Amino acid sequence: MTVMPITPRLALPLLGVAQAQKEVTHNEALTLLDALVHAAVEAGPIAAPPADPEEGQCWIVGAAPTGAWAGRENAIAIRTGGGWRFAPPREGMRATRLTDGAQLRFDSAAWAVPATIMVPSGGSTIDAEARSAISTLILHLAAQGLLISG
């Protein structure tokens, strides 16, 4: 059995010398690039595949995945061609979660979710200008997907 050459970072398939049906390999690489460059996932990490996925949608597979995702924990699951393709994450990979705009980052063991920071409230001394500045800062960081505003 011949092992197909792949790229070192994203494991994209490369064309082989004198390979037949090169379009199959080329199209596979383009499909993976389409899903992974500026990655946007519907949701995740989740363990079970969604009931009615649409072509091109992606999810982050959670711990203890089930069904068609079994054994693919932490991968990005891509719905394409009526089935699932899986891209293993790499250290530092980022994906935008479309449900809340959070920027998830893979830290070599799991997908890290931004911290939730609460808007300032309470206390014995209230400084309206400081609270306004902090609230604005939190809103801007949340808009960039760097944290979740609580």
Side-chain angles (χ1 to χ4, degrees), residues 82-110:
W84 293 104
R85 283 183 168 78
F86 299 93
R90 292 191 39 89
E91 176 77 28
M93 184 180 273
R94 295 181 184 274
T96 301
R97 187 169 54 200
L98 297 175
T99 54
D100 60 4
Q103 293 288 318
L104 284 71
R105 182 183 51 79
F106 189 71
D107 70 3
S108 80

Side-chain angles (χ1 to χ4, degrees), residues 62-138:
T66 61
W69 290 2
R72 302 292 190 151
E73 49 222 15
N74 293 321
I76 295 179
I78 308 154
R79 184 64 176 193
T80 181
W84 293 104
R85 283 183 168 78
F86 299 93
R90 292 191 39 89
E91 176 77 28
M93 184 180 273
R94 295 181 184 274
T96 301
R97 187 169 54 200
L98 297 175
T99 54
D100 60 4
Q103 293 288 318
L104 284 71
R105 182 183 51 79
F106 189 71
D107 70 3
S108 80
W111 287 92
V113 179
T116 299
I117 298 180
M118 303 305 290
V119 174
S121 64
S124 59
T125 304
I126 297 175
D127 182 338
E129 286 182 28
R131 283 192 182 180
S132 176
I134 292 169
S135 294
T136 300
L137 178 60
I138 290 170

